[in-house]
Amino acid sequence: MMLLHGDKGLACMQARKTSSSSIAPASGKTWKQITLYKSKACPLRQLTASCNKAEMVCTAQTAPKQTKRELLQAALSLPLLTAAPQSAKAEGDKAFLDVNLEGRPLGRIVIQLFSDVSTGASRFRHCAMGKEGVHYQLSRFDGIFPTHIRCNGVRSLSYSANAESPIAGGDNLETLEAELNGQQRHHDQPGLVSLIVKEAQERPIKERLVAKKGQLVTVAEQAGEAPNATGFTILRSADQALDATNLIVGRVVAGMDVVETIAAQPYAKPRDSIYDGPFFNAAKAIGDKRATTAEKGFNRPLKRIIVANSGLA
C-alpha cells in the first residue's frame, strides 16, 4: 500500500514512524506489515530534490521472507513515483507587458520565465521591473514576421554615473552567448520568448572620415548597431533559424491573443517580389544607400505599438 500526499505528489521520506499491525489474509496465514523509515541511502530520496513539504509513508504487506530490497523495487515500479517534468522545475518568476496600440490599451502579455536560464531570464526580469531605470516601458514592437513578432528592447543599459549596467549580464554579452551556445530548448512552439543575442547576418563594413590629431583619417566600422540582448521575440510558429541567434528565456502563459493582434497589424512588406526583388538586390550590391535605408524599414508595423508598462506578475 502506497500513501502519497504533498506538493505535486513528490515522494519525500521523513523521519516518521508508523504503527505496525498484523492482518490475516485470505489464505489464513499471518503476514507482517513492514514500515520504511528515512534513510539517506534510500533510492526514493532521489525523487525529493525539489520538494521539502511533502511526505511519504510507505508500508507494504509482505511475507517474512521478503527482503527490503524487493520491497523498494516494488515501490519504485509504481507509476505514481515519477519526477516532476522539466518545464515545471524550470519555472521562475512571471513578468507582464501591457501593450498599447496607437495610444489605446491592447491587452496584457504574461510571461513565465525559465529559472534554468539564469542570466538570460534575470536580464529579462530586470528590464521588465525597470531596475535602476533600465525599463521595457515605451519599448516598441518594431517587427512583424510570419513566425514571430519583435520588440526592440531598451536603448541604454545604464543611467548611473559610473555607466555600469545594473541588469544581469551587463554590457558584456559573453555570459549570454555562452548560455545561447549551450541551450537545449528550440524555437519549436508558439509562445516562446527569446532575447536577441546575435545578429542573423553580419553587418556591412563602411568607411568614414574622422579628424585625428589634426588630420583626416579613414576609419572602417560596421554599419548600424549590434543587439544589446534586451530586444526579444515572441514566437507564433516554429522557426528553427532563431536557435542560432536567440536565447529562449520564457514562454507566454496569458495574452497570446494580444500577440496575434499585433501580428495582424499592417506592416512594410519586403521588396522580394519578382518585380521589385531584382532591382532591390542590384541596388544593394552596388552600395546604394537608399536600398539599405529601405531595408531597415521592412517588416515594421505601420501603426505605433509600444510596451506601455511592464513589471513582475
Side-chain angles (χ1 to χ4, degrees), residues 74-288:
L76 289 172
S77 67
L78 292 176
L80 290 177
L81 289 178
T82 56
Q86 181 66 26
S87 59
K89 290 183 179 180
E91 288 182 354
D93 294 330
K94 289 182 180 178
F96 72 85
L97 306 171
D98 288 335
V99 182
N100 278 13
L101 171 62
E102 291 291 339
R104 297 182 178 181
L106 181 60
R108 170 171 289 191
I109 303 171
V110 180
I111 299 166
Q112 177 80 64
L113 299 175
F114 296 141
S115 60
D116 58 344
V117 191
S118 56
T119 304
S122 296
R123 191 177 184 87
F124 191 96
R125 176 167 56 86
H126 290 165
C127 291
M129 63 189 292
K131 187 173 183 179
E132 297 186 21
V134 182
H135 207 297
Y136 275 141
Q137 189 174 20
L138 300 183
S139 295
R140 187 166 182 169
F141 284 93
D142 66 340
I144 298 176
F145 302 87
T147 60
H148 62 277
I149 60 174
R150 183 184 67 200
C151 179
N152 62 1
V154 302
R155 287 184 173 273
S156 177
L157 298 181
S158 174
Y159 294 99
S160 62
N162 58 14
E164 292 184 1
S165 178
I167 64 176
D171 298 310
N172 193 331
L173 303 186
E174 290 184 0
T175 304
L176 292 165
E177 289 178 354
E179 287 187 339
L180 173 62
N181 294 333
Q183 79 171 340
Q184 300 298 314
R185 295 183 178 90
H186 301 282
H187 292 78
D188 55 4
Q189 55 183 301
L192 290 178
V193 180
S194 57
L195 293 175
I196 305 171
V197 178
K198 293 182 178 180
E199 297 169 294
Q201 297 179 348
E202 187 175 349
R203 287 173 291 138
I205 303 295
K206 71 174 186 178
E207 296 180 347
R208 66 186 182 96
L209 290 175
V210 297
K212 187 174 182 181
K213 295 182 180 181
Q215 296 181 347
L216 290 176
V217 295
T218 301
V219 177
E221 59 182 17
Q222 284 186 309
E225 297 181 0
N228 63 7
T230 63
F232 61 89
T233 63
I234 302 179
L235 208 62
R236 299 176 54 232
S237 60
D239 190 345
Q240 301 292 336
L242 296 177
D243 290 346
T245 60
N246 289 25
L247 175 63
I248 300 173
V249 297
R251 61 186 178 90
V252 174
V253 293
M256 275 302 292
D257 58 327
V258 179
V259 174
E260 292 300 330
T261 301
I262 295 173
Q265 300 305 308
Y267 62 91
K269 305 292 184 180
R271 298 290 183 87
D272 55 4
S273 69
I274 58 174
Y275 303 104
D276 295 336
F279 298 102
F280 177 76
N281 292 332
K284 282 185 60 178
I286 64 175
D288 192 328

